[in-house]
Amino acid sequence: MIEVRPFNKSDLDSIYEIELESFSIPWAKDDLHKDAVINKLSIYLVAVYDDKVVGYAGMWHVVTEGHITNIAVSPAYRNMGIGQKLIEGLEIIAREKEMIGITLEVRMNNGAAQKLYMKNGYVVEGIRKNYYADTKEDALIMWKYL
């Protein structure tokens, strides 16, 4: 069974490993620590399967909006609905905090992530040209209004 719960400091090593497995330009461990532990605007959740952290999601609460920074699932645990549960967890928190909506950027070529977001009611509202430093790839700006 998959449990989604708030991040705690002891999860840092696990989410860093997932970060390394998931992104071509992963956040540095120190940056993850600063964002997940120190940044007062950040909200982090982890997904746990068989007592192991297998996914995580981060979101900033900026005034009346949420901005998803990362959602990642360890490759061995993908296609099990974990990303879906993490999105649902962030949306529950956003509603509790009376956010008006949630936004995110996603790579133009990341069809799997786009499909997940669209399934959850996110719509494309713009493009950030050359957003990703590694490939100069554009990002889709997606929003879901709550």
Side-chain angles (χ1 to χ4, degrees), residues 1 7 14 31 41 44 52 71 75 97 118 121 124 145:
M1 180 159 169
F7 164 89
S14 296
D31 291 336
L41 300 177
Y44 274 72
K52 178 181 173 153
I71 295 179
K97 295 185 176 290
M118 285 186 224
V124 175
Y145 297 95

Side-chain angles (χ1 to χ4, degrees), residues 66-104:
H67 185 120
I68 295 175
T69 55
N70 281 335
I71 295 179
V73 176
S74 181
Y77 296 90
R78 291 182 183 159
N79 299 310
M80 295 174 58
I82 295 169
Q84 177 67 38
K85 289 184 178 294
L86 288 164
I87 289 173
E88 290 168 359
L90 291 178
E91 289 181 8
I92 288 168
I93 292 168
R95 284 186 172 86
E96 288 171 354
K97 295 185 176 290
E98 299 180 350
M99 294 180 200
I100 61 169
I102 302 173
T103 188
L104 58 93

Side-chain angles (χ1 to χ4, degrees), residues 37-75:
V37 177
I38 298 169
N39 184 350
K40 300 296 184 207
L41 300 177
S42 289
I43 299 160
Y44 274 72
L45 300 174
V46 294
V48 179
Y49 182 79
D50 284 342
D51 296 322
K52 178 181 173 153
V53 174
V54 297
Y56 80 96
M59 176 173 68
W60 296 331
H61 182 185
V62 182
V63 189
T64 60
E65 301 169 354
H67 185 120
I68 295 175
T69 55
N70 281 335
I71 295 179
V73 176
S74 181

